[in-house]
Amino acid sequence: MWTKLAHNVIKFRLPLIITLALITIFMGYRAKNVEMDYDLAQMVPDTDVDFIALNKFKEVYGDDGNILAIGMKDSSLYTPENFTRLNYLARAINDIIGVNNVLSIANLQQIQKNTEEQRFEISPMVDDLPQTKVQLDSLLTRIVDQKFYSGQLLNLETGATAVIISVDEKVLNSADRQRLMQDIIQVGEAFQEKTGIELHYAGLPFVRSVMMGKVKQEIIKLLVLSVLITAFILLLFFRSWDAVVFPLLVIFSVVIWSVGTLDLLGYKITILTGLIPTIIVVIGIPNSIYLLNKYHQEFEKHGNKIKAISTIVRKIGVVTLITNFTTAVGFLVLAVTDIKLLREFGIVTGINIFATFLVSIILIPAVFSYLPKPGRKQLKHLNFKMTDFMVEWLTKVAQKHRAKSYIITIIVVIIAFIGVFKINSISFMIDDLPEDGKTKTDLRFFEKNFSGIMPLEVTIDTKKRRGIVQLNTLRKIEEFEQFLDSIPAISKPVSIVNMIKAARQAYYNNNAAFYDLPTQRDYGFIMRYLKQEEGSESVMSNFTDTELQEMRISLKVADIGSDKMDILLEDVIKPRMHQIFEDTDFEITVTGTTPIFIKGNRYLVENLRLSLIVAFIVIAIVMGLLFSNVKMILISLIPNMIPLIITAGVMGYFGVPLKPSTALIFSIAFGISVDDTIHFLAKYRQELFANNFLVPIAVTKTLKETGKSMIYTSIVLFAGFIVFVASDFGGTVALGFLTSATLLVAMLTNLIVLPALLLTFDNGKRRRDVHPIIEQYDDNFYLASDDEEIDLKQITKERTSSETDDSEEK
């Protein structure tokens, strides 16, 4: 199979190159249609009961995450000039396409009693903007008396105020989101420039836009950095621009394929899929390194370029396929999860890792068959003193210091294992953004002055028509809301209870002392006024259903983290909620984007743990099929488990939490590090047969040949993943640093622990009548006549000048 493939790659190299180019052009065309995804709830399975409850909530009340807030705290705001500018700010934002409504202290609405028609009416509080300080003070007094807005728009203790903006849901889930956010910020900057008052922006629409805007920037920044670093290392190793340009061409093609795959599968760019291009660059380069290194080794042996190219396809092809498969397994196992975010990331990455194998096994041999023979300078890396020294040192350690290697390894693993139990799992809504960045600073402003801005909802279904406007029901709800209001991390609740209180205040001529639920004496009068109010249905529809059977309590909560949020919901809110409503048959649900997001992170971590176990099992099965030897399976897995334990221990000792980005490290690192093991064991088996099954000789020769490629690829992988440290996302930084460290440790365990295990536990005996899959790597199955089948005249015309060059070099 591989001999035929090698011949066909060379014979049909031009059609194959054109085919790859056409596919790349097509994928590039599809890639331009890929959109950004702003949905945070996609981290929870569709079947989750809380996710179903959130969707039901949205059907009745709309998206709870469509509120954007602009906060400010400056005494200069309370001057007639700046108060007028605040009014202009609210009106300018309201005129932006995609904004539904804007509420601020400069454009408040109030409920007025119409005695003649016995109904309530909604009217503006600010008929004429104040021209003097006295007029402004009078207006502010009236605003303070409107208890409905207390704690929502104005903090009387700190003087902070907020502008609340309701955004169209359709715009939120479209590409217009970025335009809308920029328009709002632009208007805000104009206000800030004229007044000198600093503005703070918060709310899920803004956070999502900031994060996805950064994802766009990250894709380009990390991709460029990874390409530059990879190119530098390739040039340093191979001393040839050919060995830089064409491997990068392979990667460039697959990067385009990966983005095109997103569009073909109907996926969008998320915070995870945005990492795929850089991951493809980092993971895909080792294919080219192994192929080029083996090509140069073969050419140095006999000086026949075509024979060397044919040999690398036959001898490296199967191993490269297997190593790409094991790497892809680390991602594809994510496809079995119920979480859309993980599933899409795993499928697209896994598919394109296979694509990397396909492109590299075609493009590298085809292109280099056109290029001149490698010269002495290009082959110089085969005798690179530094790597030679490292390989000699590794050989010495494996042969003479096995006991020390075992002792050091065991001690490190035990220490790391203790650290594993110190790992905690915690995540925040804006976990990955810089601590000192404006987004988090603005969020802290709202948490300090308004108890937070992240949405939290409670729905109450009374099970009967008009059940929520019964006085005894309203009183129970008020008791529950007072309890919620007493929690520092939660803002003042907003519900129909507040509206009825405001209606009672209006009934008594807006006297703030009457902002309370109706008594038995005035309940009937107030409810009669509410029934007659023509606009009441549209106002109340934001808080109740049309039958007045179900209602919502809208809250804002601080970004306190998944651990504290779980405790708050399960140990504080829900027990008190059940206690208050225990004598009713009400159905009460705590929902909202915030608890779903927190739950989603928990799902992500749990699914990543499961996927790692599945990957471990699949790769163990692959090892069994490759080597047909139980002992070899165990020997191959041990060096790849050690780095994972050490990384987990480091996370525990240094307080790095287990969250989606850091949990992803283990699947990625395990899939990649197994590649080195397969390359090593494949070469080791070949050397066993070639050296009369003498294990020490086989190990030594394997280290000398395969060890160099392993060092090269590990350095490239380390440098490739370390570029993630340049990210603005904390999770991506942790992913890059810890994955790089894990792969570096994996290189050491595969070059120290693996040879030591082979020397200790493998007797070298193999049955000649048993031929596992990996045997296709073996030289014993290579016949020189295979190369004679290639029509050299049809493939390439070796220029006589090349022969002249060779003779001159000699």
Side-chain angles (χ1 to χ4, degrees):
M1 171 188 171
W2 293 99
T3 298
K4 187 175 181 180
L5 175 62
H7 293 173
N8 287 334
V9 166
I10 300 175
K11 286 180 180 179
F12 303 105
R13 54 190 176 165
L14 184 58
L16 286 171
I17 291 173
I18 293 173
T19 301
L20 291 177
L22 291 175
I23 295 173
T24 304
I25 292 171
F26 171 74
M27 285 298 198
Y29 172 77
R30 297 304 299 256
K32 69 183 182 61
N33 299 320
V34 178
E35 300 177 354
M36 306 294 290
D37 197 338
Y38 300 91
D39 187 8
L40 295 180
Q42 63 183 323
M43 294 184 293
V44 177
D46 296 340
T47 55
D48 181 80
V49 291
D50 292 328
F51 183 74
I52 294 172
L54 177 61
N55 285 331
K56 181 182 176 182
F57 171 88
K58 290 181 177 181
E59 289 175 3
V60 178
Y61 303 106
D63 195 335
D64 66 322
N66 68 331
I67 300 299
L68 171 68
I70 302 177
M72 59 198 84
K73 186 174 73 171
D74 195 312
S75 58
S76 67
L77 176 67
Y78 303 107
T79 62
E81 295 80 10
N82 285 340
F83 191 85
T84 300
R85 291 190 177 104
L86 179 62
N87 179 272
Y88 292 158
L89 172 68
R91 286 192 293 171
I93 293 175
N94 198 53
D95 290 338
I96 295 174
I97 298 174
V99 172
N100 289 337
N101 188 36
V102 179
L103 193 63
S104 74
I105 60 173
N107 68 336
L108 287 183
Q109 303 272 322
Q110 66 178 347
I111 302 175
Q112 296 281 4
K113 179 178 69 173
N114 187 325
T115 306
E116 293 182 3
E117 298 181 15
Q118 291 192 338
R119 55 186 288 261
F120 291 117
E121 297 175 340
I122 305 297
S123 62
M125 284 191 66
V126 184
D127 294 321
D128 298 310
L129 290 171
Q131 302 298 316
T132 65
K133 190 68 169 62
V134 174
Q135 292 175 341
L136 177 59
D137 291 343
S138 176
L139 176 60
L140 290 174
T141 301
R142 289 168 52 208
I143 291 172
V144 170
D145 285 342
Q146 291 296 315
K147 301 296 184 181
F148 179 83
Y149 299 111
S150 178
Q152 302 294 329
L153 298 177
L154 188 63
N155 185 324
L156 295 177
E157 294 181 0
T158 65
T161 185
V163 178
I164 306 299
I165 306 164
S166 174
V167 181
D168 188 344
E169 297 174 27
K170 294 180 180 179
V171 176
L172 283 180
N173 298 313
S174 71
D176 283 343
R177 170 196 290 267
Q178 297 297 104
R179 185 269 310 163
L180 174 62
M181 295 300 113
Q182 290 300 321
D183 288 348
I184 292 174
I185 292 174
Q186 187 175 1
V187 172
E189 287 175 347
F191 171 84
Q192 190 167 300
E193 184 179 345
K194 290 181 179 179
T195 63
I197 297 173
E198 183 182 4
L199 299 184
H200 304 273
Y201 299 87
L204 278 186
F206 182 71
V207 169
R208 290 173 178 174
S209 296
V210 169
M211 293 189 71
M212 296 316 296
K214 284 186 176 294
V215 167
K216 283 184 178 180
Q217 297 171 6
E218 296 272 294
I219 292 174
I220 298 172
K221 180 173 73 174
L222 296 179
L223 188 58
V224 170
L225 282 175
S226 63
V227 168
L228 290 176
I229 289 177
T230 302
F232 174 76
I233 294 175
L234 287 174
L235 185 61
L236 187 66
F237 285 163
F238 293 106
R239 311 293 178 89
S240 168
W241 285 107
D242 294 343
V244 175
V245 173
F246 295 106
L248 289 181
L249 184 61
V250 170
I251 298 306
F252 176 74
S253 301
V254 182
V255 165
I256 293 175
W257 288 24
S258 67
V259 183
T261 305
L262 287 172
D263 185 62
L264 286 174
L265 296 178
Y267 300 160
K268 296 181 179 180
I269 295 177
T270 64
I271 195 167
L272 279 185
T273 55
L275 297 175
I276 292 176
T278 307
I279 289 176
I280 292 296
V281 172
V282 177
I283 294 178
I285 283 294
N287 284 350
S288 299
I289 290 178
Y290 274 110
L291 289 169
L292 288 175
N293 201 47
K294 189 64 178 177
Y295 168 52
H296 289 166
Q297 288 173 351
E298 290 295 322
F299 181 80
E300 189 180 43
K301 289 179 183 178
H302 47 66
N304 188 321
K305 181 180 73 174
I306 298 301
K307 181 180 178 181
I309 290 172
S310 177
T311 303
I312 65 170
V313 176
R314 288 197 314 275
K315 294 174 67 175
I316 298 294
V318 63
V319 183
T320 306
L321 174 62
I322 294 166
T323 55
N324 277 259
F325 173 77
T326 55
T327 303
V329 163
F331 294 96
L332 285 175
V333 290
L334 301 176
V336 302
T337 66
D338 295 328
I339 301 173
K340 179 184 175 185
L341 190 74
L342 275 183
R343 189 167 59 247
E344 293 179 357
F345 173 74
I347 290 172
V348 175
T349 310
I351 289 173
N352 285 281
I353 286 173
F354 279 122
T356 305
F357 163 75
L358 181 65
V359 176
S360 59
I361 204 67
I362 292 174
L363 198 60
I364 294 297
V367 168
F368 278 83
S369 69
Y370 278 113
L371 297 177
K373 296 177 181 180
R376 289 182 178 179
K377 183 178 179 182
Q378 293 165 302
L379 300 177
K380 193 175 181 180
H381 71 93
L382 296 175
N383 299 301
F384 189 44
K385 292 184 179 180
M386 182 62 72
T387 52
D388 288 342
F389 173 78
M390 288 184 65
V391 169
E392 288 177 7
W393 180 81
L394 291 168
T395 304
K396 183 178 179 181
V397 170
Q399 296 282 7
K400 299 181 179 180
H401 302 289
R402 269 181 286 160
K404 292 181 181 178
S405 300
Y406 289 146
I407 292 171
I408 293 172
T409 302
I410 291 170
I411 292 173
V412 171
V413 169
I414 291 174
I415 295 173
F417 201 74
I418 296 172
V420 171
F421 295 97
K422 298 179 181 291
I423 295 179
N424 66 325
S425 177
I426 185 170
S427 55
F428 294 83
M429 290 287 284
I430 55 173
D431 205 5
D432 284 339
L433 295 178
E435 285 294 330
D436 56 350
K438 181 168 174 55
T439 303
K440 279 199 174 182
T441 303
D442 288 352
L443 179 65
R444 302 294 176 251
F445 172 87
F446 279 92
E447 290 177 349
K448 181 179 180 180
N449 293 282
F450 298 98
S451 299
I453 194 65
M454 298 302 176
L456 179 65
E457 301 284 344
V458 178
T459 61
I460 301 175
D461 187 353
T462 62
K463 303 294 185 181
K464 59 183 179 181
R465 187 176 180 275
R466 297 188 64 80
I468 61 172
V469 292
Q470 300 299 315
L471 191 56
N472 59 337
T473 300
L474 292 171
R475 286 175 178 167
K476 284 184 176 292
I477 296 170
E478 181 188 35
E479 182 183 357
F480 181 50
E481 289 186 355
Q482 288 174 346
F483 164 71
L484 293 173
D485 193 26
S486 68
I487 301 173
I490 294 180
S491 68
K492 185 177 180 180
V494 179
S495 72
I496 190 175
V497 172
N498 307 85
M499 294 181 61
I500 292 176
K501 287 181 177 181
R504 185 171 185 262
Q505 180 179 349
Y507 183 79
Y508 289 103
N509 301 317
N510 276 311
N511 187 332
F514 289 91
Y515 181 79
D516 205 345
L517 284 176
T519 63
Q520 290 286 355
R521 186 170 57 118
D522 56 19
Y523 175 79
F525 297 105
I526 293 170
M527 296 310 296
R528 189 183 305 120
Y529 269 69
L530 280 173
K531 287 181 182 180
Q532 295 298 322
E533 207 277 294
E534 293 179 354
S536 63
E537 184 176 344
S538 62
V539 174
M540 295 175 68
S541 64
N542 290 325
F543 299 98
T544 70
D545 63 352
T546 55
E547 299 295 323
L548 297 179
Q549 172 182 313
E550 182 181 324
M551 64 167 287
R552 71 187 279 197
I553 302 175
S554 185
L555 306 157
K556 296 292 182 289
V557 64
D559 189 16
I560 57 177
S562 54
D563 283 358
K564 292 182 179 179
M565 179 62 71
D566 282 338
I567 294 172
L568 179 63
L569 295 179
E570 300 299 328
D571 299 340
V572 179
I573 293 178
K574 289 184 178 180
R576 181 59 176 152
M577 179 179 74
H578 294 316
Q579 183 182 7
I580 292 173
F581 296 99
E582 63 180 350
D583 58 345
T584 70
D585 59 351
F586 297 172
E587 182 180 326
I588 307 172
T589 305
V590 179
T591 186
T593 301
T594 300
I596 288 297
F597 176 81
I598 298 299
K599 188 173 186 179
N601 277 331
R602 189 164 62 247
Y603 264 115
L604 278 172
V605 173
E606 290 172 358
N607 276 268
L608 285 169
R609 286 172 178 165
L610 175 63
S611 69
L612 181 60
I613 295 172
V614 173
F616 183 84
I617 294 171
V618 171
I619 290 174
I621 293 172
V622 170
M623 291 296 190
L625 294 173
L626 287 177
F627 297 103
S628 301
N629 189 316
V630 175
K631 186 187 294 183
M632 294 301 292
I633 296 173
L634 295 175
I635 289 175
S636 66
L637 291 176
I638 290 172
N640 295 293
M641 292 302 298
I642 293 172
L644 303 185
I645 295 172
I646 292 174
T647 298
V650 170
M651 290 173 62
Y653 284 118
F654 288 91
V656 179
L658 190 64
K659 53 186 179 180
S661 52
T662 53
L664 197 62
I665 294 165
F666 300 97
S667 293
I668 295 175
F670 183 64
I672 296 174
S673 63
V674 167
D675 294 356
D676 281 344
T677 306
I678 293 174
H679 276 287
F680 191 95
L681 293 178
K683 181 62 178 174
Y684 169 71
R685 180 179 176 83
Q686 175 188 335
E687 294 298 339
L688 274 178
F689 278 87
N691 294 278
N692 297 319
F693 303 102
L694 295 174
V695 174
I697 296 176
V699 167
T700 299
K701 289 190 174 182
T702 301
L703 278 170
K704 286 183 177 179
E705 183 171 325
T706 306
K708 288 184 179 181
S709 293
M710 291 169 65
I711 292 170
Y712 288 171
T713 55
S714 295
I715 291 173
V716 170
L717 288 168
F718 175 85
F721 275 104
I722 206 70
V723 302
F724 286 100
V725 175
S727 171
D728 290 329
F729 293 112
T732 306
V733 171
L735 173 67
F737 178 77
L738 291 173
T739 303
S740 296
T742 306
L743 293 175
L744 197 60
V745 174
M747 179 194 74
L748 294 175
T749 55
N750 275 303
L751 290 174
I752 296 176
V753 177
L754 179 57
L757 290 172
L758 291 172
L759 288 166
T760 303
F761 298 104
D762 189 24
N763 56 19
K765 295 179 181 180
R766 300 290 187 274
R767 291 177 55 184
R768 292 186 179 274
D769 59 335
V770 177
H771 304 296
I773 296 173
I774 200 63
E775 214 164 65
Q776 294 185 46
Y777 183 92
D778 201 331
D779 271 340
N780 293 335
F781 290 82
Y782 162 70
L783 299 175
S785 60
D786 289 338
D787 286 313
E788 295 173 3
E789 297 175 10
I790 305 176
D791 185 351
L792 295 181
K793 292 181 180 179
Q794 179 182 346
I795 299 169
T796 183
K797 293 182 179 179
E798 296 291 345
R799 294 173 299 178
T800 55
S801 59
S802 298
E803 297 176 359
T804 304
D805 292 341
D806 289 341
S807 62
E808 288 178 355
E809 287 181 349
K810 292 178 182 179

